[in-house]
Structures are given as C-alpha cells and as structure tokens.
Amino acid sequence: MKEPVAYLGPVGTFTHEAARALFPGHDQALTPYSSIPDVLTAVDRGECEYGVVPVENAIEGSVNLTLDWLIHQVEVPITAELIYPISQYLMIHPDQAGRPLNSFTRILSHPQALAQTQMYLRKHLPRAALSYVESTADAALRVQENPGEAWVAVGTRSAGELYGLKIVAREIQDVPNNFTRFIAVGKEISCEPGSSWKSSLLVSLPSDFPGALYRVLQSFARHGVNLSRIESRPTKKRLGTYHFFIDAETKLEHPSMKQAIQEVEAWQCRIRRFGSYPSYTFDKINVFQPVDNREAEAYNQR
Amino acid sequence: MKEPVAYLGPVGTFTHEAARALFPGHDQALTPYSSIPDVLTAVDRGECEYGVVPVENAIEGSVNLTLDWLIHQVEVPITAELIYPISQYLMIHPDQAGRPLNSFTRILSHPQALAQTQMYLRKHLPRAALSYVESTADAALRVQENPGEAWVAVGTRSAGELYGLKIVAREIQDVPNNFTRFIAVGKEISCEPGSSWKSSLLVSLPSDFPGALYRVLQSFARHGVNLSRIESRPTKKRLGTYHFFIDAETKLEHPSMKQAIQEVEAWQCRIRRFGSYPSYTFDKINVFQPVDNREAEAYNQR
C-alpha cells in the first residue's frame, strides 16, 4: 500500500485527474476530501503524506481558497506543480437525449466551471438557470439522479462516464487552451531529471504598499531572478492591505535568489518560503476511454 | 421617476444595501439583475443609466467576475466607489427556534459569504453541509420556504427581515472589520465637495512580465503617483499571462499622472482608463430596524 494522497474530491473531479497524473500507480492510495481546507489540513496534521489542490486557472485566475489557506492556516511545503488541460463537457441524462439544447432549464456545476464556460452557456442555453453545486462530479451525479428533469451538467469527461451521462458538447470552455495549475504539498516527491524548477514566496510589506512593492521587484530584477507570477491577497486584517504571493523561476538555494531575498528582508519585508519544486506539464489525457466526437459535434450543431 | 439603477439582486443583498446608500431617494428606480454580467451589460447597452456591483472584499479579495467583465466584455466608466461594512448574520426559521446551533444540518449562502465565515462555521456548525445558492437573499428565502428543515442561512440582516427569519448570531465574519468595495458605473454622479478621488487603469504589458511590471511601477513611483492596489487578472489567452488592474490615488487629469501614463505607454504597454471617481465610506447602517442584540448573543452563547 502506497502512502495516502489527499485530493479535492469527489471521484471524477479535475483534481482527481491531476492527482492520478502526479502520482501514477497510487490509485488505491488517493483519498478524496470534500474541500481545499480539508486537503491542506489533512497534510498539515500528518493524516496524509501528500495533498493535491488547484492553485490557478488560465481563465479564472487564482484559486483564492488555496492561496489563503497556504498563507494563513497551514504550514506545508509545495513539492510539485502540474499544468493540466481543463476540458469542460456538457452532459445530460440519456433519457433526455434528443431534446433541443436551448430547451434545457437548468445547468449544474461548480461555480468556477460555470465561470469558465459562461460565454458558451449564455449563447447556447440563454434561458437555463444556473445551479451551483459543490463539485463538477456532484453536478454529474445530480443529473443522473434526476432522469426526468431537463438538466445539464458541466464537468469532466470522467465524471460523465462515472455516472453514465451522455456527452452533448465537448471543450465548451471560453478559450481553446484552458489549463489549470495544480500543486502537490507535503513530503518531497522524487522528480524526473531535467524538470524545470520553480520557487514560491510570500512577501509581506512593512507598511505603505506601492513604493515597497516597487522596491521588492527591483531587488529581484537587479539579481536576475525572473518572476513568473505576482498575486496580491488581502491580509484579512484591513481593506486595502495585501500579501504578495510570488512565483520565481529560480531555486531558493541559488546565489542570486539568496541575495535578492536578503536585500528584501533588509527592508523589513517579511518573506516566507513555500519551497522549490519541479514543474510538470501534462498534455495528453490517456487514462480515459475515447469519446465519439462526431456524435457530440452533430448534437451540438443542431 | 428617477433614472434606473441596475444592481446585483435580488432584494436584500449587500449590493442592494450599497445601491440604496449610493443612490438615496432612488428606491423606486433600483432594478435588481440576477448576475454581475447582467448589471454591467444593462448599463453598457443603455437599458439603465447606472449600475452597482461589488469589486473587492477585505477577506476574500477581488470579485473576479466584476474585474473580468470590465476588462473583457463591456465599455463602461467607473463613476464612484463605496466602502461598505459587511455584517454577516446567521438566521433560522422561527419554527426551529430553541434547536441547539450544532444540530443544524445545512448552511445555505452565496459561496463568498460562506468563504467569509468559514472559521465561525467550522467551529460552531462543524457537522452541517454547505449549500451554495445564488445570493445571500436566496439563502434566506429557501430557509423561509422550508420551516421543517434544520437549515441556517448566512446573509444580510435586511434579507432576514424581509423573509421573517430569526437571527441567532450576528457579525459572524472571520475578521471584525469586514468591508466590501462597491463601484457605481455608467453616467457621472454628482459628488459631495471634499470627497477623496481615485482612478482606475488597466495596464497590459507587451510581453515578458516581470521586468515590465517593475518598470511600470517605477514610472508611477518616479512621478509621485500613489497606487492603492495592483491586481493581476489572466488575459484568458494563455496560462501565465496577465493584465494589471491598478487603482491610483490621483486623478487622471493631474499632470503627474499624465506624465506617468505617457512614460508607460512609450514602452508599448497598453493603458485603458476606467475613469476618476469619488470614493465614499459608509459607516452606519441606518436604513434598517434595530435588531435585539441581547437575544442573538444569548442564543449564540448557549
């Protein structure tokens, strides 16, 4: 038995797909939790050796709950990142097959999946009400449980397959290349040679924000440390005060990074290190059954 | 009849309270819309002269849907901001009065209200399931419609009053000072003399991000323009590419601001101006009936 891996469940979510990709061969050890805080807490308390949660989406931006729990609630290192393609599927109960798309009355999904497909949904199902549910897998389950309702679910292909739904449209996200960054946290993961590396830091400015952020960026620039992302998150103490979550393309132990951090800390900025970790990309979803594209496309074009 | 003001409804939401504060005397003209995109589109198309939507919360950070629609979907100027205190209430059906708090089975609210109260809810209702609904007012309505269920709603006091709920705990948000910034968009609003002013800009960097952001901040700093907020939002074209939504404490027509913008534009950064507008704070909720605190506190302490 492999060591347990906590992930944002239930079975059939995008995070489940990402956890399967990050921990091949661990299928028996993958343990679904019902929220991002629950995953991170399980790792923080040592109930699970590893955890997998989403951290950023190409369309929706940061997953604030992940950043805020890393910042405020837990002390867990980041040990890997996976950039994973997000393909949203529109799925119905097989009993509803043949019904025109624009006559469905309700769209069920997680708020972020609905946000990622809003253009498509406004165009093709303009009269349908949106229902937020706890996960994309939950949306598929509810459609399965209500065969007589004119409901559609938006979510993963694996959830549709799990609950026996019929796919009526594929890749319905608002931009063609929709990727989500997932992170693994907890114990160190053995990494493939030749992986590219990243580091994550939290910079807390001493007081007045604009000038201080400018000086922080100046330090990294001066020492040639390339930053791939800067995300402000509220301190939660007062409106208008922020922490900065920074991703760099240099390892923490690199001399230039050490010098930049030293300089920033000398100005009474607090820096917290989330670790250095390998960055993976995942281009092919090869763990699922192929879907018949022609059928879905024909349905969609009616 | 006053000119219509679109707001994120339904009746009894925090945005409704903010719209009433920003447009006193317009009560008859306040028109609820069911989503942030619908409010902004109504103003963009000229169906309403004014619109009111939330843009940032002290605990949860940016309201991404508002930023992304301002950036990508509509062309409407920002004409005012209101910093408004958010007090979350825990409310039950009167038929459930007397039931111990930790025996309630379900908590209904908007995802953001649930996020703002997560510590409180995990402590006091650890076994209750979370149900996302479309608005805090909708949560109150559903509790009213299900008198036999052990459900609680999290939301505004005004929604609780509207639907005849009993308040069992007040101010349950995770930090004591929880404020949300709302913006008005559309036609210019007459402003009180002596108001402080802000400007909002969108900066789109030419290509490589870290060095370019550093140079943008350098220009504003050099000309003495104080920035109160920098928020990155995905371009939605490719993971890892961002626009920067910037709030400044200087009017757009001020010479130092003009020089800074000119300098930034000279480096092939595109700048879009959302306008300069007065910034208001609202400290007292004086439009509602007083609530009996002692009763709520006594209930909460059992």
Side-chain angles (χ1 to χ4, degrees):
Chain A
M1 181 70 181
K2 303 272 190 170
E3 294 164 314
V5 180
Y7 71 92
L8 176 62
V11 171
T13 57
F14 287 109
T15 314
H16 186 209
E17 294 185 358
R20 289 168 75 180
L22 273 168
F23 294 89
H26 278 61
D27 272 21
Q28 301 298 314
L30 299 182
T31 311
Y33 282 75
S34 63
S35 70
I36 288 169
D38 287 342
V39 172
L40 296 175
T41 304
V43 178
D44 198 36
R45 289 184 183 157
E47 290 163 26
C48 288
E49 262 69 26
Y50 308 100
V52 180
V53 289
V55 68
E56 184 186 10
N57 174 264
I59 300 178
E60 277 304 290
S62 287
V63 180
N64 294 335
L65 201 52
T66 297
L67 295 183
D68 288 353
W69 272 71
L70 289 174
I71 294 169
H72 296 285
Q73 304 294 337
V74 295
E75 289 276 350
V76 292
I78 301 173
T79 54
E81 78 167 11
L82 173 69
I83 295 169
Y84 189 87
I86 299 296
S87 300
Q88 299 285 5
Y89 286 72
L90 193 69
M91 301 173 292
I92 61 170
H93 196 283
D95 290 4
Q96 298 290 329
R99 173 187 286 274
L101 205 50
N102 64 11
S103 76
F104 281 86
T105 58
R106 188 165 288 278
I107 307 164
L108 293 87
S109 198
H110 186 271
Q112 197 150 29
L114 292 175
Q116 289 169 17
T117 54
Q118 53 182 305
M119 304 295 154
Y120 179 92
L121 297 174
R122 287 169 77 91
K123 183 174 172 198
H124 293 281
L125 294 104
R127 288 190 299 270
L130 299 183
S131 280
Y132 295 161
V133 294
E134 284 69 19
S135 71
T136 53
D138 202 38
L141 170 63
R142 294 205 197 179
V143 168
Q144 186 217 39
E145 289 174 342
N146 293 277
E149 301 283 352
W151 290 358
V152 301
V154 174
T156 61
R157 185 164 77 186
S158 55
E161 287 166 3
L162 187 65
Y163 296 113
L165 302 190
K166 183 177 167 60
I167 291 169
V168 295
R170 46 193 280 128
E171 303 283 349
I172 65 166
Q173 60 275 7
D174 294 333
V175 297
N177 292 311
N178 184 16
F179 289 86
T180 290
R181 290 203 306 129
F182 292 90
I183 51 170
V185 297
K187 270 180 69 172
E188 216 170 290
I189 302 177
S190 61
C191 87
E192 291 160 28
S195 305
S196 64
W197 284 75
K198 274 195 181 172
S199 302
S200 290
L201 298 168
L202 188 75
V203 178
S204 305
L205 306 178
S207 57
D208 200 20
F209 141 70
L213 178 64
Y214 159 62
R215 287 178 72 183
V216 167
L217 297 189
Q218 190 177 39
S219 287
F220 288 109
R222 185 188 298 153
H223 293 286
V225 174
N226 206 22
L227 307 182
S228 56
R229 180 162 165 255
I230 297 174
E231 182 69 34
S232 66
R233 290 301 303 152
T235 61
K236 298 183 186 270
K237 287 181 186 143
R238 196 159 58 80
L239 186 72
T241 60
Y242 307 93
H243 295 296
F244 289 88
F245 201 101
I246 291 180
D247 288 348
E249 295 171 355
T250 307
K251 282 193 191 182
L252 288 174
E253 55 265 39
H254 193 281
S256 59
M257 180 64 122
K258 280 184 166 172
Q259 285 166 356
I261 288 178
Q262 210 167 37
E263 228 177 81
V264 172
E265 284 179 330
W267 302 326
Q268 286 148 1
C269 290
R270 275 184 305 120
I271 289 199
R272 183 168 149 202
R273 295 156 179 81
F274 290 103
S276 298
Y277 47 85
S279 170
Y280 301 115
T281 55
F282 189 82
D283 295 326
K284 283 185 208 135
I285 306 180
N286 51 14
V287 284
F288 308 110
Q289 295 296 317
V291 66
D292 186 339
N293 300 351
R294 288 160 306 169
E295 190 189 356
E297 273 154 24
Y299 194 105
N300 198 21
Q301 278 161 13
R302 276 196 293 199
Chain B
M1 182 70 182
K2 304 272 190 169
E3 294 164 314
V5 180
Y7 71 92
L8 175 62
V11 170
T13 57
F14 288 110
T15 314
H16 186 209
E17 294 186 357
R20 289 167 74 181
L22 273 168
F23 295 90
H26 278 63
D27 273 21
Q28 300 298 316
L30 298 182
T31 311
Y33 282 76
S34 64
S35 71
I36 288 169
D38 287 340
V39 171
L40 296 174
T41 305
V43 178
D44 199 36
R45 289 184 183 157
E47 290 162 26
C48 287
E49 263 70 27
Y50 308 100
V52 180
V53 289
V55 69
E56 184 187 9
N57 174 264
I59 301 178
E60 277 305 288
S62 286
V63 180
N64 294 335
L65 200 52
T66 296
L67 294 183
D68 289 353
W69 273 70
L70 288 174
I71 294 170
H72 296 285
Q73 303 294 337
V74 295
E75 289 275 351
V76 292
I78 301 173
T79 54
E81 79 168 9
L82 173 69
I83 295 169
Y84 189 86
I86 299 295
S87 300
Q88 300 285 5
Y89 286 72
L90 193 69
M91 301 173 292
I92 62 171
H93 196 282
D95 290 3
Q96 298 290 328
R99 173 187 286 275
L101 204 50
N102 64 11
S103 76
F104 281 86
T105 57
R106 189 164 287 279
I107 307 164
L108 293 89
S109 198
H110 186 271
Q112 196 150 31
L114 291 174
Q116 289 169 17
T117 55
Q118 52 181 304
M119 304 296 154
Y120 179 93
L121 298 174
R122 286 168 79 90
K123 183 174 171 197
H124 293 282
L125 294 104
R127 289 191 298 269
L130 298 183
S131 280
Y132 295 161
V133 295
E134 284 69 18
S135 71
T136 53
D138 202 38
L141 170 63
R142 294 205 197 179
V143 169
Q144 186 217 38
E145 288 174 343
N146 292 278
E149 301 283 352
W151 290 358
V152 301
V154 174
T156 61
R157 186 163 77 185
S158 55
E161 288 167 2
L162 188 65
Y163 295 114
L165 303 190
K166 184 177 168 58
I167 292 170
V168 294
R170 46 193 280 128
E171 303 283 350
I172 66 166
Q173 60 277 6
D174 293 334
V175 296
N177 293 311
N178 185 15
F179 289 85
T180 289
R181 290 202 308 129
F182 292 89
I183 51 171
V185 297
K187 269 180 70 173
E188 216 169 291
I189 302 176
S190 60
C191 87
E192 291 161 29
S195 306
S196 65
W197 284 75
K198 275 195 180 171
S199 302
S200 290
L201 297 169
L202 188 75
V203 178
S204 305
L205 306 178
S207 57
D208 201 20
F209 142 70
L213 179 63
Y214 159 60
R215 287 178 72 183
V216 168
L217 297 189
Q218 190 177 40
S219 287
F220 287 109
R222 184 187 296 153
H223 293 285
V225 173
N226 206 23
L227 307 182
S228 56
R229 180 162 165 254
I230 297 174
E231 181 71 34
S232 66
R233 289 301 303 152
T235 62
K236 297 181 186 273
K237 286 180 185 144
R238 197 160 57 81
L239 186 72
T241 59
Y242 307 94
H243 296 296
F244 289 88
F245 202 102
I246 291 179
D247 289 347
E249 295 170 354
T250 308
K251 282 192 190 183
L252 288 173
E253 55 265 39
H254 192 282
S256 60
M257 180 64 123
K258 281 184 166 172
Q259 284 167 357
I261 288 177
Q262 210 167 37
E263 229 176 82
V264 171
E265 284 179 331
W267 302 325
Q268 286 148 0
C269 291
R270 276 184 305 118
I271 290 199
R272 183 168 149 204
R273 295 155 180 81
F274 290 102
S276 299
Y277 47 85
S279 170
Y280 301 114
T281 56
F282 189 82
D283 296 325
K284 283 185 208 133
I285 305 180
N286 52 13
V287 283
F288 309 112
Q289 295 297 316
V291 67
D292 186 339
N293 300 351
R294 288 160 306 167
E295 191 189 356
E297 276 154 23
Y299 194 104
N300 198 21
Q301 281 162 10
R302 277 197 292 200

